[in-house]
């Protein structure tokens, strides 16, 4: 699956831990703004302990281990295994959060928390693993194609993309009953304009950033960038720099905020459709991240699906692909718990 799985599989003490029924696992979903923690039962797949989920602002702690230690103390728990899903690229057992100063080392986190085994995975590897745990009420279809229940016996290829503080991108391969999450930094791929209006927006953003990645448009800060560009194009004053204020002003009838949200949704749809083409994700794209539930009505009413399907000679193929918004409030933790279950299964193999 990833390097963490290999390290865990080779550990004799991990195999001993895997046989201890009822042991709880610490799971966490760490982004550039908030860190969410929860507990999962080691013997279950993607099942969180009721009432265990807590969310802390990352700015309130000097390190991940400090935040995790506070959470464990609050819960009165000690664990032997933790899975941290982190918004950044893992290199040599270390990850630097893309949109926050924390640098996280697996070994240092183990020592600081007194935990035998820590696994670090990308946050969108966890979102990909969450696909294996989702139920019908956890997703809302954007477009005509409905949710198809997960079945590990059937080969599948999925993509997952989601805006929050940044733009996460991942994938999930299901082969021979096993699940293989793909850790990517696809949110930093270059933005591809589709319309003349897109080109005008891109020109504004190039003037500010130089190279313009997808994340510069489709993320919380990206929504602010779009609103600023819309105001610039129309020669009007930017009234806010907060994503929440933009959505509130749009609901109140502010034309520039409404346009920014429409462009956001259209660009999101285009990017999601591109992801199907690049990943071969013909079984579906899942929309994750903190902004998706908040923007769900806008996504449903926007040109998201039109731009998703508008892929020239592959438009008819894209029309058959589901695009599914994840509305489960803790999907990242579900995926981290599913990853823990995979690690424990592998250690017994």
């Amino acid at each position: 699956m990833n390097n963490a799985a290999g390290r865990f599989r080779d550990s004799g003490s991990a195999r001993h831990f895997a046989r201890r029924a009822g042991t709880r696992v610490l799971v966490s979903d760490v982004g550039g703004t908030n860190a969410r923690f929860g507990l999962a039962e080691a013997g279950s797949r993607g099942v969180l302990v009721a009432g265990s989920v807590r969310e802390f602002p990352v700015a309130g702690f000097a390190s991940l281990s400090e935040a995790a230690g506070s959470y464990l103390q609050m819960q009165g728990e000690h664990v032997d295994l933790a899975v941290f899903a982190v918004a950044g690229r893992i290199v040599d057992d270390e990850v630097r959060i893309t949109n926050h100063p924390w640098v996280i080392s697996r070994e240092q986190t183990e020592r600081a928390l007194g935990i035998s085994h820590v696994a670090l995975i990308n946050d969108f590897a966890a979102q990909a693993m969450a696909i294996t745990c989702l139920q019908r009420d956890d997703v809302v279809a954007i477009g005509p194609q409905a949710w198809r229940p997960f079945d590990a016996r059937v080969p599948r290829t999925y993509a997952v993309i989601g805006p929050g503080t940044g733009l996460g991108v991942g994938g999930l391969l299901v082969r021979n009953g096993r699940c293989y999450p793909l850790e990517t930094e696809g949110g930093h791929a270059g933005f591809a304009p589709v319309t003349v209006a897109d080109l005008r927006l891109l020109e504004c953003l190039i003037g500010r950033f130089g190279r313009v990645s997808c994340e510069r448009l489709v993320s919380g800060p990206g929504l602010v960038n779009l609103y600023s560009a819309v105001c610039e194009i129309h020669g009007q004053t930017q009234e806010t720099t907060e994503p929440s204020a933009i959505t509130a002003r749009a609901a109140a009838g502010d034309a520039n905020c409404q346009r920014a949200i429409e462009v956001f949704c259209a660009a999101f749809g285009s990017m999601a459709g591109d992801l199907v083409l690049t990943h071969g994700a013909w079984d579906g794209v899942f929309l994750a991240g903190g902004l998706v539930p908040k923007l769900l009505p806008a996504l449903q009413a926007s040109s998201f699906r039109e731009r998703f399907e508008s892929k020239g000679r592959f438009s008819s193929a894209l029309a058959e692909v589901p695009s599914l918004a994840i509305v489960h409030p803790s999907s990242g933790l579900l995926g981290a718990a599913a990853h823990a279950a995979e690690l424990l299964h592998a250690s017994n193999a």
Side-chain angles (χ1 to χ4, degrees), residues 45-349:
R45 182 181 184 84
V47 177
L48 303 175
V49 174
S52 70
V53 176
R54 297 288 185 276
E55 185 174 273
F56 302 144
V58 294
F61 297 88
S63 66
L64 172 61
S65 56
E66 181 180 304
S70 295
Y71 170 79
L72 288 171
Q73 184 177 29
M74 180 185 300
Q75 297 295 315
E77 290 278 352
H78 176 77
V79 299
D80 290 319
L81 169 63
V83 176
F84 295 106
V86 184
R89 180 170 174 249
I90 292 110
V91 180
D92 296 330
D93 287 345
E94 185 175 278
V95 56
R96 181 184 300 273
I97 297 180
T98 305
N99 292 298
H100 186 74
W102 281 358
V103 178
I104 302 162
S105 160
R106 181 181 65 85
E107 292 184 355
Q108 290 177 0
T109 304
E110 286 176 346
R111 289 196 298 269
L113 294 175
I115 294 176
S116 301
H117 304 281
V118 163
L120 297 177
I121 62 174
N122 179 266
D123 61 332
F124 268 71
Q127 293 288 356
M129 287 299 292
I131 294 170
T132 69
C133 308
L134 296 174
Q135 303 299 313
R136 186 174 302 277
D137 291 343
D138 296 328
V139 298
V140 174
I142 308 296
Q145 300 300 330
W147 177 72
R148 302 165 187 166
F150 176 78
D151 186 344
R153 298 169 297 179
V154 180
R156 303 281 193 194
T157 303
Y158 299 106
V160 58
I161 179 171
T165 306
L167 178 65
V169 173
L172 184 71
L173 302 180
V174 184
R175 301 291 188 273
N176 301 315
R178 295 293 305 279
C179 297
Y180 301 90
L182 305 178
E183 300 187 353
T184 87
E185 290 297 337
H188 298 279
F191 169 63
V194 175
T195 67
V196 173
D198 286 350
L199 287 171
R200 294 185 66 191
L201 287 164
L202 180 60
E203 185 178 12
C204 291
L205 296 175
I206 287 173
R208 183 179 306 175
F209 299 111
R211 179 183 182 271
V212 178
S213 68
C214 293
E215 184 174 278
R216 295 294 193 188
L217 288 81
V218 179
S219 64
L223 180 58
V224 177
N225 293 336
L226 288 173
Y227 170 65
S228 176
V230 167
C231 290
E232 180 180 336
I233 289 168
H234 290 89
Q236 297 177 4
T237 302
Q238 181 176 346
E239 300 290 343
T240 182
T241 58
E242 294 296 326
S244 59
I246 293 171
T247 56
R249 290 172 68 92
D254 185 297
N256 287 332
C257 291
Q258 289 173 340
R259 177 57 183 157
I261 290 174
E262 170 55 34
V263 173
F264 179 102
C265 293
F268 192 11
S270 185
M271 293 170 194
D274 287 344
L275 200 54
V276 172
L277 297 176
T278 55
H279 279 55
W282 306 110
D283 297 301
V285 175
F286 288 81
L287 314 179
L291 287 180
V292 168
K294 298 174 184 177
L295 291 175
L296 186 57
L299 287 167
Q300 292 172 316
S302 73
S303 60
F304 174 96
R305 185 69 193 190
E306 177 186 344
R307 291 281 288 267
F308 177 85
E309 296 181 13
S310 183
K311 299 300 175 187
R313 288 169 289 176
F314 277 84
S315 293
S316 60
L318 267 292
E320 301 299 319
V321 178
S323 51
L324 304 163
I326 299 175
V327 294
H328 189 286
S330 302
S331 57
L333 297 183
L334 280 185
H339 184 81
E342 288 278 328
L343 295 180
L344 293 168
H345 173 77
S347 73
N348 277 330

